[in-house]
Amino acid sequence: MNINSNASGFKLGVMSGIAGTTLYLSPEQASSKEKAIYFDNKVDIFALGLILLEITSNMGTFQEKVHSFNKLKMMREIPDGCSARTHPEGEIILKLTEPSPHNRPSA
C-alpha cells in the first residue's frame, strides 16, 4: 500500500485489489471497479460501525449477520433484536455507517 496526501492534507492509501473481509467493506470500496482504490480512514470508520452493530446484536449465525448488515447498509435501519435499536448506540452506528464517507465522523 502506498500513502499519499490529498489537497486537504489527509493521508490517502492506495489499495490494489480487495483486502480484508468483504462483509465489512464500505460502500466506496464495494462499488469500486478500479484496480487501485483511493481511500482514507473513513473506510475503517464504516467497518467500526458494523462491528458495533455486531457487538450489540444477538447474531447466532453467519446468515443472520449478513441479513443484519444488509438491512443496515441498504435500508439504513438498526435490525430487530439489536439492543442499540432503542439506545444511543443506534444513532452512533447509523453515523458511523453513513453511505457517503464525507458524512461519517473522523477518527
Side-chain angles (χ1 to χ4, degrees), residues 10 12 18 40:
F10 289 105
L12 299 174
I18 298 297
D40 59 15

Side-chain angles (χ1 to χ4, degrees), residues 67-96:
H67 176 73
S68 294
F69 282 13
N70 285 340
K71 185 170 186 174
L72 177 62
K73 290 177 181 180
M74 294 177 196
M75 300 186 330
R76 304 291 304 138
E77 291 181 17
I78 303 293
D80 296 331
C82 176
S83 65
R85 188 175 174 92
T86 58
H87 291 89
E89 292 87 354
E91 287 299 315
I92 295 170
I93 291 169
L94 290 172
K95 287 178 184 174
L96 294 174

Side-chain angles (χ1 to χ4, degrees), residues 36-104:
I37 303 168
Y38 295 91
F39 64 95
D40 59 15
N41 65 347
K42 301 290 183 132
V43 297
D44 297 324
I45 298 295
F46 187 88
L48 178 63
L50 294 176
I51 292 167
L52 184 57
L53 175 67
E54 191 171 5
I55 290 170
T56 59
S57 298
N58 185 15
M59 298 180 208
T61 66
F62 179 76
Q63 201 60 20
E64 289 172 332
K65 183 190 301 189
V66 170
H67 176 73
S68 294
F69 282 13
N70 285 340
K71 185 170 186 174
L72 177 62
K73 290 177 181 180
M74 294 177 196
M75 300 186 330
R76 304 291 304 138
E77 291 181 17
I78 303 293
D80 296 331
C82 176
S83 65
R85 188 175 174 92
T86 58
H87 291 89
E89 292 87 354
E91 287 299 315
I92 295 170
I93 291 169
L94 290 172
K95 287 178 184 174
L96 294 174
T97 58
E98 278 286 338
S100 171
H102 302 294
N103 294 335
R104 291 180 213 140

Side-chain angles (χ1 to χ4, degrees), residues 22-33:
T22 55
L23 190 59
Y24 294 87
L25 291 178
S26 64
E28 62 270 24
Q29 288 175 299
S31 67
S32 178
K33 304 283 188 243

